[in-house]
Amino acid sequence: MTNSVMSVGVSGLQAAQTALLTTSHNISNATIPGYNRQQALQSANTPQANSHGFLGRGVHISTVQRIYSQYLDSQSLQAQAQSSQLNSHYNEIKRIDNMLADTTSGLTPALHDFFNAVQGVASNPSSIPSRQAMLSSAESLVSRFQQMDQRLSEMREGVNGQIAGNVAEINSLAQQIAGLNANIQAMESHANGQPANDLLDQRDALIRNLSQFANVDVVRQSNGHFNVFIGNGQSLVVGSSAMALKVVASPGDPQRMTVAMDLSQGEVLLPEHQLQGGSLGGLLAFRSETLDSVQNDFHQLALGFANTFNAQHQAGLDLQGNLGGDFFVITDPAHAAGSIRVAISDPAEIAAADGTGGVTNNLNALSLARLQTENTLQGGMSYQSAYAKLVNQVGNKTRELEVTSKAQESLLAQTDQARQSLSGVNLEEEAANLLRYQQMFQASSKVIEISNSLFDSLLRI
């Protein structure tokens, strides 16, 4: 009997000690991001049958489990990927919006200054200073076109650099996840299938970090491995093996960096629409949905402006009585905004006259000035309305992304709060558990003490 009483006491002592260790571990890791609180699950030992019935044989720890919800974790991954994509897209488009709408360095003030100078020539067509002012304003206008195109090109280079950085982070995380897959399988096999809780937390934290860069889907295997897929189903981690992504130049545009899978048989380009979610998806969406169209529209505006202004200028006469030539020249129509130049340098070559009233009349200069408000561009728009449309389109998209990004951040915070309320460490609760398990430890110690006393009494009989 004494041995049975002592074994019950020892089992309680061991269970209390394990519970105290688990609680202490929770407290120590309370501030660690991604840590899920753990709980020592106690189960009654199989009772012993005798003539009086079944006698209890104490307690044992069946497992130390982490408090974890796969459903909440999956929700958090999806919310994180979407939030990162929206934030990435918004942060980039905001830069374009600020540039286009800037009342000082945007295109609008340069256009106004140029046509004010054209009006100055129309007011005094024989004045060389007025003509020189028009040439100077034209130089400022083409310089503004070039500067803004350069800034757009710099944004494109910046996107290329960020894509490369994202791919490097994804590769690093994939390697770590694959390594943890192998370690978790080995440790759980060695522990007869008991969960390697802290390693599981580390792997989950890596996957949450991965969801900041791309949409993540996880398929759980029976051996404890996580197979990880990114974007719209591209394999990234399979068991203990990680696939490698790399950044390569697009076949159609060497200046456009895209993502490929680095396989033993060679590179396989991944379509951009398959790389959804996360900051990588946001960068690709920004480039394809915003940057490409803005830069193309900007080039078309520069090309249309130069062609229509040149056509009207060619209809007039300069101070020498010669027909007007090209006022602007574009050396690369595909990159009009970056290659536009002023074609003339002699103010006398400005074709302000129309030839009906001598070379010093202002009729063609008036026609040039009216181009500011006439709908001469494709689609029936003026220079200013075409630029305003571009500014409005980018501004509306920017505000839309700002609103949806904030809404998604709020959803992510709510999801993380729900996950934290379940899996996070509550220090007050853990402090109460410490006292409870301490009392259990002390009571079990008392059981052992009484068992020893009973054993001594039996020896004295």
Side-chain angles (χ1 to χ4, degrees):
M1 180 185 70
T2 54
N3 286 339
S4 297
V5 172
M6 178 173 287
S7 64
V8 169
V10 169
S11 72
L13 198 69
Q14 291 173 337
Q17 184 179 34
T18 301
L20 283 169
L21 285 171
T22 303
T23 302
S24 300
H25 187 61
N26 286 339
I27 294 172
S28 299
N29 289 276
T31 60
I32 301 298
Y35 177 79
N36 294 288
R37 67 186 176 93
Q38 299 176 14
Q39 182 179 28
L41 297 184
Q42 302 180 26
S43 300
N45 289 330
T46 304
Q48 181 180 6
N50 64 14
S51 59
H52 306 295
F54 287 92
L55 298 179
R57 299 175 62 188
V59 67
H60 71 277
I61 300 296
S62 56
T63 188
V64 177
Q65 73 168 10
R66 59 181 188 145
I67 309 303
Y68 167 81
S69 168
Q70 179 179 330
Y71 172 73
L72 289 177
D73 202 56
S74 296
Q75 276 197 325
S76 179
L77 291 178
Q78 294 173 5
Q80 177 65 74
Q82 184 67 14
S83 180
S84 294
Q85 173 166 340
L86 291 169
N87 281 335
S88 177
H89 196 160
Y90 170 66
N91 289 334
E92 295 300 322
I93 196 175
K94 183 169 61 175
R95 297 169 59 199
I96 292 184
D97 184 47
N98 291 338
M99 179 189 73
L100 294 178
D102 194 297
T103 56
T104 302
S105 60
L107 189 64
T108 297
L111 277 171
H112 283 163
D113 289 345
F114 173 66
F115 279 102
N116 285 339
V118 174
Q119 190 63 52
V121 173
S123 299
N124 194 356
S126 61
S127 170
I128 295 300
S130 295
R131 288 167 172 263
Q132 186 61 58
M134 180 177 169
L135 289 180
S136 297
S137 296
E139 291 288 355
S140 297
L141 177 59
V142 300
S143 178
R144 186 64 51 83
F145 269 115
Q146 294 164 9
Q147 290 169 2
M148 294 179 68
D149 180 65
Q150 178 63 29
R151 289 180 63 183
L152 290 172
S153 297
E154 289 171 354
M155 290 181 193
R156 187 173 296 276
E157 293 175 3
V159 167
N160 286 340
Q162 290 184 70
I163 290 173
N166 277 218
V167 167
E169 290 287 348
I170 289 172
N171 285 338
S172 175
L173 290 168
Q175 289 288 347
Q176 295 177 67
I177 293 169
L180 278 172
N181 272 344
N183 290 342
I184 289 169
Q185 182 183 18
M187 293 190 69
E188 291 185 348
S189 177
H190 184 71
N192 297 321
Q194 292 290 352
N197 293 320
D198 295 298
L199 291 184
L200 295 175
D201 283 348
Q202 291 177 31
R203 184 173 64 184
D204 287 344
L206 290 174
I207 291 174
R208 275 194 293 276
N209 288 341
L210 181 61
S211 70
Q212 296 179 20
F213 299 100
N215 188 49
V216 175
D217 288 316
V218 176
V219 177
R220 293 159 174 81
Q221 303 299 304
S222 58
N223 61 358
H225 285 172
F226 275 9
N227 290 347
V228 180
F229 303 85
I230 62 170
N232 287 349
Q234 177 60 52
S235 299
L236 184 68
V237 177
V238 178
S240 57
S241 300
M243 311 301 171
L245 302 179
K246 66 185 303 185
V247 176
V248 298
S250 172
D253 182 1
Q255 303 302 316
R256 187 185 187 91
M257 295 295 105
T258 188
V259 181
M261 184 67 69
D262 191 10
L263 303 176
S264 57
Q265 62 268 32
E267 302 169 354
V268 177
L269 292 178
L270 300 179
E272 291 187 2
H273 69 270
Q274 291 186 5
L275 297 172
Q276 297 292 317
S279 56
L280 178 59
L283 289 168
L284 295 174
F286 162 73
R287 186 172 65 183
S288 62
E289 297 174 12
T290 302
L291 183 56
D292 287 348
S293 61
V294 167
Q295 202 158 21
N296 180 67
D297 289 348
F298 199 58
H299 289 315
Q300 291 302 314
L301 174 59
L303 186 62
F305 168 75
N307 288 340
T308 53
F309 197 89
N310 284 345
Q312 184 61 53
H313 189 259
Q314 291 164 3
L317 298 177
D318 64 15
L319 284 179
Q320 281 75 43
N322 299 318
L323 285 172
D326 285 342
F327 192 93
F328 297 102
V329 61
I330 291 178
T331 57
D332 184 359
H335 298 89
S339 64
I340 187 172
R341 302 287 188 275
V342 178
I344 63 177
S345 58
D346 186 353
E349 294 179 357
I350 295 176
D354 72 343
T356 60
V359 296
T360 59
N361 76 72
N362 66 349
L363 296 181
N364 199 52
L366 289 173
S367 296
L368 290 171
R370 284 194 295 270
L371 290 176
Q372 182 178 14
T373 56
E374 289 182 351
N375 298 329
T376 58
L377 297 180
Q378 186 176 5
M381 291 184 290
S382 66
Y383 309 139
Q384 193 60 54
S385 62
Y387 183 70
K389 179 183 177 182
L390 178 59
V391 172
N392 288 335
Q393 286 176 339
V394 173
N396 290 336
K397 182 66 174 179
T398 302
R399 285 186 288 274
E400 175 190 336
L401 283 169
E402 182 180 16
V403 171
T404 54
S405 177
K406 288 181 179 179
Q408 187 64 31
E409 284 181 357
S410 177
L411 176 62
L412 175 60
Q414 293 173 16
T415 304
D416 284 345
Q417 179 61 37
R419 187 171 57 84
Q420 185 66 17
S421 65
L422 173 70
S423 303
V425 176
N426 185 316
L427 291 177
E428 293 182 358
E429 181 181 340
E430 298 302 327
N433 285 338
L434 277 179
L435 293 177
R436 182 157 62 96
Y437 297 135
Q438 179 188 19
Q439 292 173 352
M440 177 182 173
F441 187 92
Q442 291 171 341
S444 297
S445 299
K446 190 66 174 178
V447 170
I448 295 174
E449 180 183 340
I450 291 173
S451 174
N452 285 332
S453 176
L454 291 174
F455 185 71
D456 289 342
S457 297
L458 287 174
L459 290 177
R460 288 195 295 269
I461 293 176

